Amino acid sequence: MSIHPSAIVDEGATIGEGSRVWHFVHVCAGAHIGKGVSLGQNVFVGNKVEIGDRCKIQNNVSIYDNVTLEEGVFCGPSMVFTNVHNPRALVERKSEFRNTLVRRGATLGANCTVVCGVTIGEFAFVGAGAVVTRDVPAYALMVGVPARQKGWMSEHGEQIPLPLDGNGSFTCPHTGSHYRLNGRQMSREPSP
C-alpha cells in the first residue's frame, strides 16, 4: 500500500493491500477500501462507503456515505455522487441518505452525476457529463441529461452493435466473448 504524505487517512479506515492513495486524499474512519484500488488526487471517501478491489477513482471525486462500489468500478475525473434526494441547507436530512450501488466493472465517465438511490448494473457505461436519475441495466450505454440508454457495451469496453430492444447475439472481436440480448436484458454467455 502507498499513501502520499499529503493524504489524510482517519484511524479506523481499512485500505487493502496494493492500494494507492494519492495527493490530498481524505479517507474517513469508517471507509472500507479493497485491494489494488487507486484513489486519485483530491478524492474524498466518506464513513459509510465500501469500495471493492481494483477500483480506479480518478481526481476530484467525492464518494459520500451510503455509496457502494463493487469490484473493478471506474470513476472518471470529477464525476459526482449525491446521497440526499432533496437537499436543503436549512433542513437536516442525514437520516434520509439513500443507498447507491455501482455493480462490478461499471464505468462512470468524467463529470457525470449519479443521483442517489440508484443501482448501476455490472459493466454498464455512463458517458461523460451524463446525469443518471434511475437504475441502469447491466451492460447499458447511458448518455445525456437525463441519461438515456443509447446502446450496449461489452466487458472489454466496446460498443455492441445490437438494437436496444429485441433479441440478438454478439461476439467481442477483442476477447471472443459471446453476449446475448433478450428483450431489455444483456448477458454474457458462458465460454464453451
Side-chain angles (χ1 to χ4, degrees):
M1 174 177 28
S2 168
I3 299 176
H4 190 272
S6 66
I8 298 169
V9 178
D10 293 343
E11 188 175 340
T14 59
I15 301 176
E17 179 182 319
S19 291
R20 295 174 305 191
V21 179
W22 294 101
H23 304 72
F24 313 117
V25 169
H26 182 188
V27 179
C28 291
H32 297 282
I33 298 170
K35 298 175 184 173
V37 172
S38 177
L39 301 178
Q41 180 176 308
N42 200 38
V43 165
F44 170 80
V45 181
N47 277 301
K48 296 178 184 175
V49 171
E50 299 278 340
I51 298 176
D53 296 344
R54 300 186 305 149
C55 288
K56 290 184 174 41
I57 317 301
Q58 299 295 297
N59 296 352
N60 306 311
V61 174
S62 292
I63 307 173
Y64 298 117
D65 286 354
N66 293 49
V67 173
T68 299
L69 308 179
E70 292 185 345
E71 178 186 10
V73 170
F74 178 88
C75 295
S78 301
M79 65 80 47
V80 175
F81 288 103
T82 71
N83 62 3
V84 176
H85 182 69
N86 54 343
R88 290 280 197 204
L90 300 175
V91 179
E92 179 65 45
R93 291 207 161 110
K94 289 184 179 178
S95 65
E96 299 175 20
F97 287 171
R98 293 187 181 182
N99 297 330
T100 299
L101 173 61
V102 183
R103 297 266 184 209
R104 182 174 69 98
T107 292
L108 307 175
N111 291 305
C112 76
T113 298
V114 177
V115 174
C116 60
V118 302
T119 296
I120 297 177
E122 67 176 10
F123 297 102
F125 196 105
V126 176
V131 177
V132 177
T133 59
R134 61 181 189 231
D135 289 352
V136 172
Y139 300 99
L141 170 61
M142 307 293 289
V143 298
V145 178
R148 303 249 185 256
Q149 187 176 359
K150 295 296 182 187
W152 302 99
M153 298 292 278
S154 74
E155 291 181 15
H156 190 71
E158 299 292 332
Q159 191 166 357
I160 297 173
L162 290 174
L164 286 175
D165 294 309
N167 298 316
S169 61
F170 171 76
T171 300
C172 179
H174 297 282
T175 64
S177 299
H178 300 284
Y179 296 86
R180 176 156 303 282
L181 179 63
N182 255 336
R184 303 267 316 137
Q185 272 196 325
M186 177 66 71
S187 60
R188 182 176 168 188
E189 296 183 325
S191 298

